[in-house]
């Protein structure tokens, strides 16, 4: 994905670098959003989005950041108690949203970098107390990847709706909406999809939608019943963020040109492998406390949190790296000061990532030699 001659320098774990061709697509003129031209655009976009989400169901497109769709997921889920799997700040946010929407919420917590044990999830679900569970696929604050296929299967088995935040997953980490029988999967435009921020997406299962009308106080703007009704005639319920639709249309065409979503997953797997190998090199050659926070087996292919020795804080590391022209992220949540994060997602390439990692190595070596 490197036909554009702009260097890869922006490795923040969201927003991610957007290619000039995608930015340029946004300069197309406005069209009437209740006319046929828009409906055709909407239909083209649906085809591409269903491919990305691995679903035959409509993909709802809303104008908000990811948090808006997290709130929609909770608001429209059938009434009842919620079980929240929390292993970082975004999964924590999901629990907070559920509480703020008036739900009773129980939390299963895992330490930063880890994922909640499946046995613990099963035991909680066996109580029969829950109508829905919330889980984050790729926990962007720590780089931990939860096996949402297994979590979804447990939820299914116990008649509980699975609400999956895959904001930094979809478009980079494998997720099969239909085959894994997940009830609600949501993402946003500015992470692995590599489009500017402002669009949020969700796919809801038949089972989820069949109970949505029974959820009280869904409000209007985030009511997925409205999205479903409009999707029937290739429309959004409210004014679409048209310029972002243009960017999305271009990006979906480019995903197809790359070889489809599985080629994109493979590129992300390759970028993650390069990052892990690089981190191992750091542990051996630079400092034993440098490494990847999440353990092997539950690492996200889109984002890595790098652990730092006690004498370094992430602010210093990030600003030293920035001096060589690369932007990486600081830590987030509980590991705010003790890690920094590299977003290897979106349209980045292995070659571009290697140059960023080299700059990170130089900065870390310099700081550790003379703190
Ligand atoms: C970025 C992100 C969100 C959404 O954040 P917004 O700022 O509202 O787009 C939610 N969950 C995860 C895992 C994220 O990475």
């Amino acid at each position: 994905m490197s036909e554009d001659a702009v260097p890869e320098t922006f490795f923040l774990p969201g927003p991610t670098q957007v290619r000039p061709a995608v930015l340029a697509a946004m300069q197309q003129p406005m069209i009437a959003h209740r006319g046929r031209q828009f409906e055709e655009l909407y239909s083209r976009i649906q085809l591409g989005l269903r491919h990305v989400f691995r679903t035959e169901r409509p993909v709802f497109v809303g104008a908000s950041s990811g948090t808006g769709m997290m709130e929609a997921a909770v608001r429209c889920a059938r009434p009842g108690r919620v079980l929240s799997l929390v292993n970082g700040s975004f999964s924590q946010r999901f629990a907070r949203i559920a509480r703020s929407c008036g739900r009773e919420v129980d939390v299963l917590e895992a330490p930063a970098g880890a994922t909640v044990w499946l046995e613990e999830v099963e035991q909680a679900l066996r109580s029969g107390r829950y109508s829905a569970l919330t889980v984050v696929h790729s926990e962007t604050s720590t780089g931990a990847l939860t096996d949402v296929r297994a979590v979804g299967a447990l939820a299914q088995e116990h008649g509980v709706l699975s609400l999956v935040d895959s904001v930094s997953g979809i478009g980079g980490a494998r997720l099969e909406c239909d085959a894994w029988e997940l009830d609600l999967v949501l993402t946003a435009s500015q992470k692995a999809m590599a489009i500017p921020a402002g669009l949020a997406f969700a796919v809801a299962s038949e089972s989820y939608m069949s109970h949505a009308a029974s959820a009280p106080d869904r409000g209007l703007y985030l009511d997925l019943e409205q999205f479903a009704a409009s999707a029937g005639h290739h429309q959004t319920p409210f004014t679409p963020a048209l310029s972002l639709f243009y960017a999305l249309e271009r990006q979906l065409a480019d995903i197809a040109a790359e070889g489809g979503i599985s080629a994109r997953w493979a590129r992300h797997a390759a970028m993650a492998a390069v990052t892990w190998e690089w981190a191992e090199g750091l542990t051996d050659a630079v400092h034993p406390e440098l490494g990847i926070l999440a353990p092997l087996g539950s690492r996200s292919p889109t984002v890595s949190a790098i652990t730092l020795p006690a004498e370094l804080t992430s602010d210093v590391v990030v600003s030293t790296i920035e001096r060589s022209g690369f932007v990486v992220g600081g830590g987030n949540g509980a590991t705010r000061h003790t890690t920094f994060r590299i977003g290897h997602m979106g349209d980045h390439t292995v070659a571009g990532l290697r140059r960023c990692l080299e700059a990170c190595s130089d900065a870390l070596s310099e700081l550790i030699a003379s703190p």
Side-chain angles (χ1 to χ4, degrees):
M1 308 225 66
S2 55
E3 83 280 10
D4 301 319
V6 166
E8 294 177 42
T9 54
F10 196 72
F11 289 82
L12 212 63
T16 57
Q17 188 158 344
V18 179
R19 288 174 301 115
V22 174
L23 291 172
M26 293 200 294
Q27 302 198 5
Q28 295 172 77
M30 294 299 112
I31 54 174
H33 63 275
R34 295 297 180 224
R36 218 192 52 197
Q37 229 183 324
F38 177 77
E39 288 170 7
E40 285 167 8
L41 170 65
Y42 183 94
S43 303
R44 283 196 299 279
I45 281 171
Q46 278 300 310
L47 285 181
L49 283 175
R50 286 175 199 190
H51 169 72
V52 166
F53 274 83
R54 309 285 272 188
T55 186
E56 313 251 286
R57 310 238 344 130
V59 182
F60 304 144
V61 185
S64 76
S65 78
T67 306
M69 210 47 107
M70 293 165 85
E71 188 160 328
V74 170
R75 275 179 187 267
C76 306
R78 79 166 167 244
R81 206 177 181 91
V82 171
L83 180 68
S84 288
L85 280 54
V86 172
N87 62 331
S89 50
F90 292 102
S91 42
Q92 177 75 54
R93 180 182 298 179
F94 221 170
R96 260 179 65 204
I97 290 170
R99 265 193 214 102
S100 73
C101 290
R103 301 289 180 133
E104 309 251 26
V105 179
D106 293 333
V107 166
L108 293 179
E109 209 161 353
T115 54
V116 175
W117 281 73
L118 288 174
E119 288 80 356
E120 230 186 306
V121 177
E122 171 149 45
Q123 198 182 358
L125 291 176
R126 237 188 269 128
S127 70
R129 302 169 75 194
Y130 303 106
S131 71
L133 67 76
T134 65
V135 60
V136 169
H137 182 204
S138 165
E139 179 42 89
T140 318
S141 64
T142 66
L145 187 79
T146 288
D147 183 353
V148 292
R149 181 187 201 165
V151 171
L154 286 175
Q156 189 81 5
E157 195 181 309
H158 292 87
V160 170
L161 294 173
S162 51
L163 315 182
V164 181
D165 165 347
S166 187
V167 174
S168 68
I170 294 277
R174 181 174 173 221
L175 185 145
E176 309 264 358
C177 239
D178 289 358
W180 295 358
E181 298 184 285
L182 303 170
D183 288 297
L184 190 132
V185 177
L186 68 97
T187 196
S189 50
Q190 79 275 21
K191 305 276 170 79
M193 293 295 291
I195 301 165
L199 291 181
F201 309 93
V203 174
S205 70
E206 221 176 303
S207 157
Y208 180 99
M209 289 312 296
S210 71
H211 294 104
S214 69
D217 302 323
R218 298 193 301 284
L220 187 70
Y221 193 66
L222 299 176
D223 182 4
L224 296 178
E225 288 262 299
Q226 303 275 334
F227 280 82
S230 300
H233 37 271
H234 318 295
Q235 290 278 352
T236 57
F238 309 105
T239 305
L242 190 57
S243 305
L244 291 169
F245 269 61
Y246 290 141
L248 173 63
E249 182 185 30
R250 171 65 202 234
Q251 182 64 310
L252 290 169
D254 290 348
I255 288 173
E258 187 183 358
I261 193 63
S262 42
R264 204 171 166 88
W265 293 339
R267 176 165 52 78
H268 281 80
M271 289 195 291
V274 162
T275 308
W276 304 343
E277 197 190 319
W278 163 81
E280 251 175 60
L282 287 182
T283 315
D284 296 343
V286 184
H287 196 291
E289 283 168 44
L290 289 167
I292 304 278
L293 177 64
L296 261 177
S298 54
R299 287 179 182 171
S300 172
T302 64
V303 52
S304 297
I306 316 300
T307 55
L308 294 169
E311 65 265 33
L312 289 183
T313 64
S314 76
D315 289 352
V316 172
V317 172
V318 168
S319 59
T320 307
I321 293 168
E322 198 158 4
R323 272 195 256 128
S324 49
F326 291 93
V327 176
V328 298
N332 182 302
T335 47
R336 187 172 145 73
H337 300 297
T338 55
T339 66
F340 74 101
R341 293 172 305 148
I342 300 171
H344 32 81
M345 66 175 110
D347 291 340
H348 281 304
T349 62
V350 166
L353 174 64
R354 281 191 198 280
R355 285 189 285 274
C356 173
L357 295 176
E358 214 169 289
C360 294
S361 292
D362 290 348
L364 289 164
S365 305
E366 178 194 319
L367 287 168
I368 284 166
S370 56

